[in-house]
Amino acid sequence: MTNRTPFVGGNWKMNTDATTGNALARALASGLDTSGGVEVAIYPPFVYLSSISQSLAGSDISLGAQDAYHEPSGAFTGEISLDMLKDCGVRSVLTGHSERRHVIGENDTIVNKKTRAVLASGLQVVLCIGETLDQRESGKTDAINEHQTRAGLEGVSRDQLSRVVIAYEPVWAIGTGKTATPEDAQNAHARIRELIATMYDQNAADAIRIIYGGSMKPGNAGELMAMPDIDGGLIGGASLVSDDFLSIIRSSVAQGV
Ligand code: PEP
């Protein structure tokens, strides 16, 4: 039985401003009391990363970015490179978030390029996967998760996998108030873990953190994270309220994932 340290991430999306974002970061930094029993990262908007890095100074909360561009520099107007993110104190990057896939239009090839670039830069990646409502209703959840996991991790080495967290986020559950049942989420996570064993080996599968995202909140976090293959959460809306996010973090430690 592998003891995986739970991972809880807060995806702020396009929310907060300089004042509220820094206030939130400071509230989290001063309220976090987990004695290392959980890994916590927050993903504020790009433009606040540098100042929030100061607000987090001395805390155990890692700074993350919601996206990154895979090229190192050059004529890519509007994009942000991994070196730029590192300059701001970023240690973790989201790839393949459903809003990047389904709202912005990123395909598997782009998600894979970004995932590989993040890993090549030495940072941690949180690779997000998950099915839409139509795909779920036509029984394709596991097939979509398999496809997105294989595509996202193409070319990722066994060594690099230790810096990968997989976030299973059913698209229909993100920001909708609808949550997968703990049993449905557990089934999906168990299949993803089996797939990692097939793609790499059993030790890699036992070690990788697979977290759940989709309307996780203080009221449902405990039962979700009590499931054996759910190793934490990626939290959107509830990560914008410090007491709610801290409560979810405490649930992850209490479950001793
Ligand atoms: C997310 O943004 O990854 C997410 C899970 O959002 P929410 O918690 O609001 O559903």
Side-chain angles (χ1 to χ4, degrees):
M1 179 79 188
T2 306
N3 234 350
R4 295 180 289 269
T5 301
F7 181 97
V8 177
N11 175 14
W12 293 7
K13 314 191 191 201
M14 200 170 73
N15 292 302
T16 69
D17 57 26
T19 305
T20 58
N22 278 285
L24 178 55
R26 283 193 298 272
L28 295 173
S30 64
L32 186 74
D33 178 19
T34 60
S35 311
V38 56
E39 188 179 335
V40 179
I42 56 171
Y43 301 84
F46 284 139
V47 292
Y48 305 128
L49 288 171
S50 285
S51 65
I52 286 178
S53 159
Q54 308 296 316
S55 295
L56 292 178
S59 87
D60 287 334
I61 302 175
S62 297
L63 188 62
Q66 298 172 23
D67 186 30
Y69 200 58
H70 53 277
E71 295 288 352
S73 64
F76 303 104
T77 302
E79 296 295 349
I80 306 284
S81 76
L82 285 151
D83 280 347
M84 293 169 187
L85 294 175
K86 283 172 151 178
D87 272 348
C88 300
V90 163
R91 287 166 27 204
S92 179
V93 180
L94 304 181
T95 59
H97 190 277
S98 78
E99 288 144 24
R100 302 288 322 168
R101 291 180 193 264
H102 299 291
V103 181
I104 312 292
E106 289 188 3
N107 60 21
D108 287 324
T109 306
I110 297 281
V111 174
N112 177 247
K113 281 185 180 169
K114 291 185 173 187
T115 301
R116 283 162 50 176
V118 173
L119 291 168
S121 79
L123 297 181
Q124 176 187 62
V125 72
V126 178
L127 170 65
C128 306
I129 60 168
E131 83 286 3
T132 63
L133 187 57
D134 277 358
Q135 291 164 338
R136 180 179 195 81
E137 286 175 345
S138 48
K140 294 189 184 136
T141 297
D142 293 334
I144 295 295
N145 286 341
E146 172 164 355
H147 173 80
Q148 292 182 354
T149 303
R150 284 190 186 278
L153 295 180
E154 198 180 317
V156 170
S157 71
R158 170 72 174 77
D159 281 354
Q160 289 177 320
L161 203 65
S162 60
R163 283 184 285 113
V164 175
V165 173
I166 295 178
Y168 167 57
E169 301 203 293
V171 179
W172 50 270
I174 298 179
T176 58
K178 295 181 192 151
T179 314
T181 64
E183 293 72 24
D184 282 351
Q186 163 59 26
N187 283 339
H189 283 229
R191 296 293 87 74
I192 297 162
R193 199 176 301 286
E194 285 166 14
L195 173 64
I196 296 294
T198 310
M199 293 171 63
Y200 294 90
D201 57 50
Q202 191 58 49
N203 286 345
D206 288 341
I208 196 165
R209 270 92 54 92
I210 306 174
I211 64 175
Y212 171 82
S215 299
M216 193 185 269
K217 39 191 178 283
N220 60 24
E223 57 178 6
L224 284 159
M225 294 194 281
M227 292 290 155
D229 288 294
I230 302 183
D231 307 315
L234 184 58
I235 325 298
S239 74
L240 296 168
V241 180
S242 59
D243 283 350
D244 287 357
F245 192 54
L246 289 166
S247 159
I248 293 170
I249 292 167
R250 281 192 296 272
S251 294
S252 78
V253 181
Q255 296 307 331
V257 180

